[in-house]
Amino acid sequence: MARLPPHAPNMRIGLFGGSFNPPHAGHALVCAIALRRVKLDRLWLMVSPGNPLKNATGLAPLPERMRAARRLSRDPRIVVTDFEAGIGARYSWQTVEHLRRACPGVHFVWIMGADNLAAFFRWRRWRDIARKMPILVIDRPGSTHRATRGVAAAWFDRRRLPEMAAKNLALRPPPALIVLHGPRSNLSSTQLRALRAGSERND
């Protein structure tokens, strides 16, 4: 069985997953906002084997993405982990189910960008995820209106909490959703890969 990062009952732990292909300053900003506003004890940066909703063409090897994520993560409360590959989790609902069984008493918060909230209804068993962990959404440029008016946002309608409740989100019974606004980054992994590919062609 894959080894999970250190944890203990009553800890508040944020779960921020993705391909991180590559990780960038925008990801670091999400981590910083979540740690500060939600009063997390730890944040697990979960580097996934791959995203079922994305084309795997151009996906860097997992060890390479892990190294890049560790270089980006300077806060000691951030733990970079690839345990999803170890437990064979292809979908996020499998990750959630595993952690609920393996980590009794830990208060997890699922973290995503606003662009992911817009597409959340396409995730396999997304309602199961929402019913088992409170969700924190960090606003992203160009995604605010689309995310807060989408299918998933409508489902969360009466379960959405004000930003001022963020500090206790980890203790809220799910379903619970908070969308946080603040400093935003225009960076995206897709953009960075395109720039890198263009640079390589011009060498």
Side-chain angles (χ1 to χ4, degrees):
M1 180 178 292
R3 179 175 297 178
L4 296 174
H7 58 278
N10 296 317
M11 288 184 71
R12 303 182 184 196
I13 298 177
L15 303 172
F16 184 28
S19 301
F20 300 107
N21 186 43
H24 53 71
H27 296 133
L29 181 60
V30 167
C31 293
I33 291 172
L35 283 164
R36 184 179 74 253
R37 300 278 298 274
V38 189
K39 308 300 181 186
L40 299 173
D41 298 305
R42 296 287 187 275
L43 188 148
W44 294 359
L45 198 69
M46 303 184 302
V47 183
S48 70
N51 186 332
L53 295 178
K54 294 182 179 179
N55 190 327
T57 303
L59 182 65
L62 181 57
E64 180 180 324
R65 290 181 284 127
M66 288 284 291
R67 288 192 295 270
R70 288 192 178 106
R71 288 194 296 270
L72 187 75
S73 307
R74 301 183 182 278
D75 190 310
R77 293 172 295 176
I78 299 174
V79 181
V80 178
T81 175
D82 61 353
F83 78 85
E84 287 182 298
I87 65 173
R90 178 168 168 75
Y91 298 100
S92 295
W93 70 265
Q94 295 170 314
T95 300
V96 169
E97 291 281 0
H98 180 85
L99 292 177
R100 280 171 55 85
R101 290 194 307 268
C103 309
V106 175
H107 302 294
F108 287 110
V109 174
W110 192 269
I111 301 169
M112 65 172 72
D115 53 331
N116 276 319
L117 177 60
F120 191 38
F121 73 99
R122 294 193 179 97
W123 292 24
R124 185 75 60 90
R125 294 177 58 172
W126 65 274
R127 292 182 184 86
D128 288 342
I129 298 171
R131 291 186 179 108
K132 290 175 180 175
M133 285 186 186
I135 295 177
L136 175 71
V137 175
I138 307 294
D139 191 21
R140 288 197 65 185
S143 299
T144 306
H145 296 296
R146 184 164 54 95
T148 55
R149 288 165 174 76
V151 173
W155 186 85
F156 275 109
D157 186 29
R158 296 187 179 182
R159 304 165 178 91
R160 182 171 170 180
L161 303 171
E163 292 192 47
M164 67 179 67
K167 64 181 179 181
N168 291 317
L169 179 60
L171 304 180
R172 293 275 186 168
L177 174 79
I178 290 181
V179 179
L180 287 183
H181 300 85
R184 301 189 299 177
S185 171
N186 286 307
L187 288 173
S188 76
S189 296
T190 302
Q191 177 189 51
L192 292 175
R193 289 196 304 274
L195 289 172
R196 184 167 59 192
S199 175
E200 290 171 353
R201 283 196 300 270
N202 293 326
D203 284 348

